[in-house]
Amino acid sequence: MKNHKAPSPIFWIHRSKKTRLILSLFLIINMTVLYAQNSISGTVKDSKTLETIVGATVSIKGTKTATSTNFDGVYTLKAPVNSVIVVSFLGYESIQKTVTGSAVLDFVLKEEQNHLKEVVVVGYGTQKKANLTSAISKVGSDVFENKPVTTASQALQGTIAGLVIQQGSSEPGQGTNINIRGIGTFQSGTYPLILIDGLEGSIDNINPNDIESVSVLKDASSAAVYGSRAANGVILITTKMGKSGKVRISYDYIYGMQQPTNMPKYAKAWEYAELRNEALINSGLPAKFTPDQINDFKKMGQGTVWLNEIYRDKAPQSTQNLSIEGGGEKTSYHISIGHVDQQSLFEGNDDYGLKRNNARINIHSKLSEKLNITASGAYNGAVIKEHAYWTNWLIEQATRIPVIYPVKDEKGNYTLPSGSNSNGLARLTKGGMRTYQNDGFAGSLTAEWSIIKDLKLKGFFGANLSDNNNHEFRKSIDYAPYTGGGDNESSVMDRFDRTLLLNSTLTLNYNKRIGENHSFTGLLGISEEKSDRRWFQARKIGIPGNEFGVLGNGAVTDEKNTFGNGEEWGIQSYFGRINYSYKDRYLLEGNVRADGSSRFSSENRWGVFPSFSGAWRISKENFMESASFVSNLKIRASWGQVGNQDIGLYRYLRTVSVNTQAYSFNDNLANAAYFSEANQNLSWETSEMVDFGIDAGFFNNKLSFTLDLYSKDSKDVLVNNLPVPGIYGSQSPTQNIGTVNNKGWEFSTTYLFTTGKVKHSINANIADNVNEVTDDGGRTLISGTDVVTILKKGFPLNSYYGLKSDGFFQNANEVANGPKQNFNAAGAKPGDIRYVDRNGDGVIKEEDDRFILGNPYPRYTYGLTYTAEWNGLDLSIFLQGVGKRSMWIRGEGVEAFHNSNEGPVMDYHIDRWTPENPNAEYPRLTIGTESANNAAKSDFWIEDASYLRLKNVQLGYTIPSRFTDQLRVAKFRAYITGQNLVTLTKLKAGYDPEINSGEASNGRVYPVTKVLAIGLSVNF
């Protein structure tokens, strides 16, 4: 190896300076590039509404540099190239983007999928969903938006386990029947308490687009804080409040066409004639139609289905909603206006239908750091115009008339077929009109004062005024040249009904966290509620010339339908609640409420309703750390009592009522005074409920479910028509008697997942409730005429009660050897329904041989919603149904030639018993007294009313923001949708399986409609 000369130290010095200079320049250039402060700006929007978000935090990751979006949702920030910008906002998932040098960087935030952070409205406050210890279900505004419905209850149907909503009719202006976890009372009201922003109101009058969320308080623990008002559950509706920032305008429009569903199907004209002849001969009468006439009927084909003649094939409906919101740093507002226009399916007048206007304003103002004020005002005004002759009359008559008769003759005259004294289409066209003008005004003022850090005083005052006016002008109808018409009396009726409801509440809230492990929340409150109602009605008969339908033109006062009255009631209440949490792991809650009601005597006026609940969040335990896939696991239990006072007013007092023209005295009509029966010992009806529940979530709550098991006992049930001996001469007083149990289970689940760029969600729920009278007070109550029900220990309330069918008699030998069925003089014959001889005495008698045959209450109620989103396209499918239900249908709804009428004859009557068709679905055809055996009240007329319904389908498209931004439009979405599109049911009568009303038993009900609609939603 050669020896190298060591370099001169001077060389190293020179080279070091040069190198250092180059390195320094390189570092300076790189640092300059690295730390160049780009000024970037952009907007932050909501991914669902595409509205800007005010107050979102925009920061540079790893630094303390941050800013917030202004009132326009815009931010400006200086950030180096390649730095990471993080945007976050409460309730949304944080998002990150890298600065590339562009001056504009926009963000779109998605709502958090962690439902445990969701806030749920509870009695007199809110709680995090994770901390709930009782059975409360919540749905958001998405349930109500963009659906072709006229009421919020229609949209809510099938979305919450245990909440049963039945739409008995789609006739404009008709409401729905709602119950929570079954019916627990014999005769008093079963409707839940509905509070809209803390004030009692109607779910059918509120604009669905105004709803922010709905909480359903299902167990006694959650509802006990409402005491006597909560026996049937509580529904809390919260309306939308404004967000500060620039003015945002939203407009929604839906236009659709209604069509009747599940209409009865009639036999053809010639089939009717043949079956009529057969029925006459079977009844010992001569045939009516000759072979030549039957051949002529074959040329007629179907003939005239009168039920179809009184309905339109289609009828339009539309909804429009306009909302405006915005505000500054201290005050925000939300203003909305809505309009519903639903035309009736009834023929005769294009004005038949519903027009409803809604207006609402909500204002929130932060007057200081300690004082907040919220003011709300709402108006709903509905005008319902309909025929002057009752709906059930029209449908009854149209159902019975055979298809061989035309509605009008060749000259255009309305016909009066044999056996009828009216014509439904004539009544609709010429019979006048009934108009309902219903106006409601609601307003509330809430003030919240932070006395100290953890103590808040909150005052609430609300008023609800409803004016319901009804004007009916019924015109007489001349059926000339036909004689015998019964619509020859014209009349005018006016009714006025006003109710003022006042509610004032004062609450004191205390929240305290001690260290890291202990948390307390306390609530004390007092409330007072008063109602004042006044109403009167006047009716006059005989309006000259069918013109100028005012009371002053009436010739004779209808005394029985001219009256007036008034009533007042009030409740004063004291209530409290305390919550305790240890490490957010062990949760306890206690409630108590004392109610004093004017409906009871001073000795029994006050009722006290306590409740307790607790929960264990197992997922917060240390031993669950290894189970990372478990996001949430909580078990809970509750016990509580709530009361019921809804049995009418003044039942503990003897009241006097005057009846005009009650009896004849000296050949003159005289008035009479009647005294009611009183019960001074009348007291509260109390419901006691136990509930056990499990809440679970997996995989960051993408999969979650809730399961509840419950049992509710309604004790000291209020009954007001117990049977008394006729010699007593009066009715029985209202009494506390009996106990009813409702037990059941509820299950709901949500699954969120993504396949490629498609986002999916599945929400499903199913529930079952079993009702049982556990104490009938030793008295069995049997009621009803066409449909007979029984109230008896060991069976559901108002169970069906009748004979049990046992096939058909096939021959004379079976008739002779079977039990005697003497419903008519001739007795049973082959082809008649055979009944089970329950007591074995060889004779069938209704009073001795009846069975309990089921009940009308739905079981296994379920709903399933599937949604998908992809590149601006969205699809939702909603299925809803009932797994088990019985429906007893009588009269012309199912019986051929009911009550000796010439009709009806439906398609299923064709499969009737004859010697050649012994395995028929329907007994032999008969007429008049010969029909008495088959018309006996039995389970033959009880049908399976379970169903599966395609409740709603919606397909929409949202135009990308890169196009709409140029038009200053935040969001533009168009969609097509359908409601009640397909119904699968075994109900053979041709009626909707959902109907639940007194007239439903005879099929005299306006049909449930399906709606096909288009809509658009625009946000500015």
Side-chain angles (χ1 to χ4, degrees):
M1 176 179 285
K2 294 182 179 179
N3 292 327
H4 292 275
K5 186 178 180 181
S8 167
I10 298 177
F11 173 81
W12 275 107
I13 293 172
H14 285 284
R15 190 167 71 171
S16 177
K17 287 183 178 179
K18 184 178 180 180
T19 302
R20 288 163 61 186
L21 178 61
I22 294 172
L23 289 173
S24 297
L25 289 173
F26 178 78
L27 290 173
I28 290 171
I29 292 171
N30 277 275
M31 292 297 290
T32 302
V33 173
L34 183 63
Y35 289 101
Q37 297 294 306
N38 285 350
S39 179
I40 61 171
S41 64
T43 59
V44 179
K45 294 183 178 181
D46 181 296
S47 62
K48 182 180 179 182
T49 65
L50 295 183
E51 294 180 352
T52 56
I53 297 175
V54 180
T57 300
V58 184
S59 62
I60 302 175
K61 188 175 182 179
T63 73
K64 295 183 178 180
T65 305
T67 187
S68 300
T69 54
N70 62 18
F71 293 141
D72 296 322
V74 176
Y75 75 92
T76 301
L77 184 70
K78 289 185 177 182
V81 175
N82 295 325
S83 61
V84 177
I85 304 299
V86 181
V87 179
S88 60
F89 190 69
L90 183 64
Y92 291 82
E93 296 178 357
S94 298
I95 190 172
Q96 301 181 9
K97 286 186 179 182
T98 302
V99 178
T100 60
S102 173
V104 178
L105 202 59
D106 295 328
F107 294 85
V108 178
L109 301 187
K110 302 173 184 177
E111 291 185 1
E112 281 186 324
Q113 294 183 355
N114 187 356
H115 300 294
L116 296 180
K117 296 182 180 179
E118 183 180 355
V119 174
V120 178
V121 176
V122 299
Y124 302 103
T126 60
Q127 286 185 18
K128 285 186 178 180
K129 186 174 182 179
N131 294 334
L132 292 178
T133 58
S134 51
I136 300 177
S137 294
K138 175 191 173 183
V139 295
S141 59
D142 57 306
V143 167
F144 306 96
E145 294 170 347
N146 305 326
K147 288 186 178 179
V149 296
T150 57
T151 65
S153 58
Q154 294 170 8
L156 195 59
Q157 185 180 29
T159 60
I160 294 177
L163 176 66
V164 178
I165 300 177
Q166 294 172 291
Q167 183 181 353
S169 166
S170 288
E171 187 168 12
Q174 295 296 308
T176 51
N177 183 49
I178 302 176
N179 73 76
I180 300 173
R181 292 187 169 183
I183 296 174
T185 185
F186 293 174
Q187 294 160 338
S188 57
T190 60
Y191 211 76
L193 172 66
I194 297 176
L195 299 175
I196 303 173
D197 291 335
L199 184 64
E200 187 173 357
S202 169
I203 193 172
D204 291 324
N205 290 335
I206 189 174
N207 181 354
N209 273 50
D210 285 343
I211 297 176
E212 178 68 26
S213 69
V214 172
S215 294
V216 180
L217 314 186
K218 296 187 287 189
D219 65 346
S221 175
S222 59
V225 73
Y226 290 106
S228 65
R229 315 301 309 282
N232 302 310
V234 181
I235 297 177
L236 303 178
I237 299 176
T238 303
T239 61
K240 295 176 180 176
M241 300 296 295
K243 300 176 182 178
S244 296
K246 70 176 184 179
V247 176
R248 292 174 293 278
I249 301 174
S250 299
Y251 175 73
D252 295 276
Y253 176 71
I254 303 176
Y255 179 85
M257 299 299 294
Q258 311 164 76
Q259 293 177 276
T261 63
N262 296 79
M263 295 289 287
K265 296 177 176 60
Y266 286 75
K268 295 180 176 61
W270 65 272
E271 292 172 325
Y272 164 79
E274 286 188 345
L275 296 183
R276 177 71 174 173
N277 282 349
E278 182 179 314
L280 288 167
I281 293 170
N282 286 343
S283 304
L285 300 170
K288 179 176 181 178
F289 301 105
T290 66
D292 289 339
Q293 287 176 309
I294 293 175
N295 285 332
D296 289 338
F297 289 144
K298 288 183 178 179
K299 298 175 184 178
M300 184 184 295
Q302 177 65 67
T304 303
V305 178
W306 281 56
L307 201 59
N308 293 344
E309 294 296 313
I310 66 174
Y311 293 127
R312 305 172 189 266
D313 293 332
K314 298 178 180 178
Q317 74 174 42
S318 63
T319 60
Q320 298 183 69
N321 293 278
L322 176 68
S323 65
I324 304 171
E325 68 172 29
E329 293 184 11
K330 294 187 176 182
T331 301
S332 61
Y333 61 87
H334 181 94
I335 303 171
S336 68
I337 300 172
H339 177 71
V340 174
D341 190 344
Q342 181 188 17
Q343 190 177 102
S344 173
L345 282 172
F346 276 124
E347 290 279 8
N349 195 319
D350 289 341
D351 287 338
Y352 291 154
L354 162 71
K355 288 182 172 62
R356 189 182 72 231
N357 296 310
N358 290 86
R360 177 174 292 273
I361 179 170
N362 292 338
I363 300 174
H364 177 75
S365 184
K366 187 176 183 180
L367 299 184
S368 69
E369 290 298 320
K370 291 190 174 184
L371 182 61
N372 291 275
I373 300 289
T374 301
S376 297
Y379 165 76
N380 68 83
V383 177
I384 305 167
K385 293 185 178 181
E386 61 182 26
H387 41 83
Y389 290 83
W390 301 109
T391 294
N392 60 316
W393 293 3
L394 297 169
I395 297 175
E396 172 194 13
Q397 186 259 7
T399 302
R400 291 181 176 183
I401 296 180
V403 296
I404 62 173
Y405 298 115
V407 176
K408 291 183 179 181
D409 61 21
E410 296 83 356
K411 296 182 179 179
N413 299 310
Y414 292 101
T415 62
L416 285 177
S418 175
S420 175
N421 68 348
S422 65
N423 182 303
L425 190 58
R427 285 177 163 181
L428 288 166
T429 306
K430 302 170 63 176
M433 184 178 288
R434 183 183 302 112
T435 302
Y436 297 91
Q437 173 71 58
N438 302 324
D439 296 295
F441 303 87
S444 65
L445 182 65
T446 303
E448 186 177 70
W449 176 37
S450 297
I451 303 174
I452 55 177
K453 179 183 177 182
D454 300 315
L455 186 64
K456 293 181 179 180
L457 181 66
K458 187 175 183 179
F460 171 87
F461 176 78
N464 195 332
L465 175 67
S466 61
D467 274 341
N468 301 311
N469 300 306
N470 177 208
H471 173 75
E472 176 190 282
F473 180 19
R474 182 176 296 173
K475 297 183 178 182
S476 60
I477 302 174
D478 185 1
Y479 287 105
Y482 300 93
T483 59
D487 299 329
N488 51 15
E489 182 180 86
S490 60
S491 65
V492 170
M493 186 271 291
D494 278 301
R495 180 181 175 91
F496 172 81
D497 192 336
R498 169 177 288 180
T499 301
L500 175 62
L501 181 68
L502 301 177
N503 184 297
S504 55
T505 305
L506 187 66
T507 59
L508 191 64
N509 292 270
Y510 181 71
N511 296 277
K512 185 65 176 177
R513 191 168 190 92
I514 303 175
E516 296 182 357
N517 297 330
H518 304 278
S519 178
F520 294 89
T521 301
L523 169 74
L524 291 175
I526 181 173
S527 72
E528 185 174 80
E529 192 169 0
K530 294 181 179 179
S531 175
D532 188 341
R533 181 187 174 200
R534 296 289 183 272
W535 74 93
F536 61 82
Q537 175 179 300
R539 185 172 186 264
K540 283 197 170 184
I541 303 170
I543 310 300
N546 273 343
E547 297 291 340
F548 305 109
V550 294
L551 284 172
N553 281 350
V556 179
T557 300
D558 181 357
E559 296 287 352
K560 290 186 178 180
N561 287 292
T562 298
F563 54 81
N565 213 330
E567 61 186 29
E568 298 178 354
W569 59 265
I571 297 177
Q572 187 170 339
S573 308
Y574 303 91
F575 54 89
R577 177 173 61 221
I578 186 168
N579 298 81
Y580 170 71
S581 169
Y582 176 69
K583 291 187 176 181
D584 290 331
R585 186 182 304 168
Y586 309 109
L587 310 169
L588 296 173
E589 180 177 305
N591 291 272
V592 65
R593 176 161 173 144
D595 279 326
S597 172
S598 64
R599 304 191 187 209
F600 303 105
S601 65
S602 56
E603 292 81 8
N604 300 301
R605 182 150 294 167
W606 287 91
V608 179
F609 309 101
S611 74
F612 304 96
S613 60
W616 176 26
R617 294 187 64 188
I618 304 174
S619 54
K620 299 284 285 186
E621 295 287 357
N622 295 331
F623 59 77
M624 292 294 293
E625 290 180 357
S626 59
S628 59
F629 64 94
V630 179
S631 311
N632 174 50
L633 182 59
K634 177 173 66 175
I635 59 174
R636 48 186 167 77
S638 68
W639 171 91
Q641 292 182 337
V642 289
N644 185 21
Q645 47 133 24
D646 191 11
I647 42 87
L649 305 180
Y650 319 121
R651 295 299 174 92
Y652 69 94
L653 297 172
R654 297 201 73 185
T655 58
V656 181
S657 58
V658 177
N659 227 349
T660 58
Q661 301 180 357
Y663 64 96
S664 176
F665 184 76
N666 270 349
D667 296 328
N668 294 314
L669 292 174
N671 299 338
Y674 294 89
F675 291 84
S676 69
E677 295 301 324
N679 180 4
Q680 284 286 332
N681 297 320
L682 200 64
S683 63
W684 292 92
E685 178 180 305
T686 303
S687 291
E688 182 175 297
M689 184 183 292
V690 177
D691 184 285
F692 297 96
I694 301 174
D695 301 323
F698 307 93
F699 313 113
N700 197 25
N701 287 305
K702 290 182 178 180
L703 173 64
S704 61
F705 74 82
T706 296
L707 173 66
D708 276 276
L709 306 174
Y710 65 88
S711 179
K712 178 174 70 171
D713 288 300
S714 300
K715 304 175 182 180
D716 297 324
V717 176
L718 296 162
V719 184
N720 56 23
N721 64 349
L722 289 171
V724 294
I727 195 173
Y728 180 64
S730 183
Q731 296 181 341
S732 67
T734 301
Q735 302 177 48
N736 293 97
I737 183 172
T739 304
V740 179
N741 175 263
N742 282 277
K743 64 180 61 175
W745 54 268
E746 300 163 357
F747 177 80
S748 60
T749 184
T750 299
Y751 180 41
L752 308 173
F753 63 101
T754 301
T755 56
K757 294 184 178 180
V758 183
K759 301 176 187 176
H760 310 264
S761 72
I762 297 175
N763 292 277
N765 69 83
I766 184 170
D768 185 31
N769 181 83
V770 178
N771 179 277
E772 181 185 352
V773 177
T774 51
D775 180 5
D776 58 12
R779 302 190 185 188
T780 298
L781 299 179
I782 300 173
S783 57
T785 52
D786 282 348
V787 173
V788 179
T789 61
I790 186 171
L791 191 154
K792 185 176 182 180
K793 181 179 179 180
F795 296 92
L797 279 168
N798 300 321
S799 293
Y800 295 140
Y801 193 48
L803 301 174
K804 183 178 289 187
S805 59
D806 186 26
F808 301 143
F809 288 113
Q810 295 296 338
N811 49 58
N813 186 52
E814 287 189 4
V815 174
N817 294 324
K820 303 303 178 184
Q821 300 183 178
N822 299 317
F823 295 99
N824 53 39
K829 294 181 180 178
D832 282 348
I833 301 172
R834 177 173 52 204
Y835 302 110
V836 175
D837 183 12
R838 183 183 180 190
N839 64 359
D841 64 356
V843 179
I844 300 297
K845 294 182 180 180
E846 285 191 337
E847 59 269 25
D848 298 330
D849 295 309
R850 287 181 288 189
F851 291 80
I852 294 178
L853 304 169
N855 59 83
Y857 305 124
R859 293 188 60 187
Y860 310 115
T861 57
Y862 58 87
L864 173 68
T865 302
Y866 167 76
T867 65
E869 297 179 15
W870 175 76
N871 280 354
L873 283 171
D874 60 87
L875 170 69
S876 68
I877 301 172
F878 177 33
L879 300 172
Q880 175 263 333
V882 170
K884 182 180 180 180
R885 183 179 179 232
S886 298
M887 183 184 296
W888 190 338
I889 304 180
R890 290 302 314 270
E892 66 279 344
V894 289
E895 298 174 31
F897 314 112
H898 172 66
N899 277 356
S900 298
N901 289 290
E902 290 194 39
V905 175
M906 309 294 184
D907 63 343
Y908 53 83
H909 293 142
I910 297 174
D911 186 19
R912 76 285 184 198
W913 186 95
T914 64
E916 299 75 29
N917 186 30
N919 297 317
E921 291 289 327
Y922 196 82
R924 72 186 180 107
L925 296 177
T926 53
I927 288 173
T929 57
E930 192 73 13
S931 302
N933 186 79
N934 294 330
K937 301 172 183 64
S938 75
D939 64 347
F940 184 83
W941 307 108
I942 299 176
E943 298 189 26
D944 182 353
S946 59
Y947 68 92
L948 167 63
R949 172 167 283 156
L950 181 56
K951 193 69 177 178
N952 184 269
V953 174
Q954 188 170 144
L955 177 63
Y957 179 67
T958 302
I959 298 176
S961 58
R962 64 179 179 273
F963 299 118
T964 57
D965 285 348
Q966 299 176 19
L967 301 174
R968 297 180 181 273
V969 175
K971 179 183 178 182
F972 187 99
R973 177 177 180 268
Y975 56 93
I976 56 175
T977 183
Q979 190 82 358
N980 298 331
L981 292 179
V982 179
T983 302
L984 303 178
T985 180
K986 296 179 181 179
L987 192 66
K988 65 184 179 183
Y991 299 102
D992 194 275
E994 193 178 327
I995 55 178
N996 181 29
S997 63
E999 299 299 338
S1001 62
N1002 291 313
R1004 304 170 189 172
V1005 62
Y1006 185 99
V1008 171
T1009 61
K1010 67 178 178 181
V1011 182
L1012 295 173
I1014 58 174
L1016 62 87
S1017 179
V1018 185
N1019 295 352
F1020 300 93

